[in-house]
Amino acid sequence: MSGDVTPEQFLAGTDSGLAIYRWVQSVLADGGFDFTVNTSKSQVAFRRRRGFAYLWLPGQYLRHPNVDVVLSLALGRELPSGRFKEITRSAPAIWTHHLEVHSVADLDDEMAAWLTEAAEAAGLPTR
């Protein structure tokens, strides 16, 4: 973890942020992934060889956000789903998919499969 902020501190002002963070950790642990977590002033980043999943607070940037927490996934392809608030091409081979998480009930098998795909595509971490 980098910086002086923990994921718990970063997500403290949200209703479901900590539960979402723990869900991401659980999916990755259940998948046997080796990953690191870096927290900055703007996000909680999950990394392997590169970053692949990010939790961030739209309230830091928007006056009237729709949700407390957004889960962004970096994938090697664009996924067609109406669940994504926005999809951007962040690098020539990386599409970033932004999921507004309205409640813990949104955390389902489909999202877990997308998270797993993102983690697999990010490769092994460098030490």
Side-chain angles (χ1 to χ4, degrees):
M1 180 150 10
S2 64
D4 296 332
V5 179
T6 66
E8 292 82 6
Q9 291 168 326
F10 179 79
L11 298 165
T14 66
D15 290 335
S16 58
L18 194 54
I20 295 164
Y21 168 73
R22 289 183 177 144
W23 177 84
V24 171
Q25 283 192 307
S26 175
V27 169
L28 297 173
D30 290 350
F33 292 105
D34 186 16
F35 63 95
T36 60
V37 177
N38 298 312
T39 306
S40 69
K41 292 179 185 179
S42 61
Q43 67 187 4
V44 176
F46 295 84
R47 298 184 55 81
R48 297 189 78 214
R49 188 183 75 253
R50 62 167 173 76
F52 63 91
Y54 308 88
L55 293 174
W56 57 279
L57 309 176
Q60 288 183 320
Y61 309 100
L62 304 173
R63 190 169 290 189
H64 301 290
N66 294 328
V67 295
D68 286 339
V69 179
V70 171
L71 172 60
S72 296
L73 301 173
L75 295 160
R77 65 187 178 109
E78 183 177 9
L79 294 175
S81 173
R83 294 183 72 179
F84 298 114
K85 174 71 173 186
E86 183 179 25
I87 301 171
T88 59
R89 194 160 199 173
S90 51
I94 303 293
W95 293 90
T96 303
H97 300 71
H98 303 284
L99 288 153
E100 290 186 333
V101 183
H102 296 274
S103 74
V104 176
D106 291 344
L107 306 174
D108 59 17
D109 291 343
E110 183 176 47
M111 285 180 68
W114 293 334
L115 175 60
T116 298
E117 181 179 339
E120 288 171 348
L124 296 174
T126 56
R127 303 255 180 211

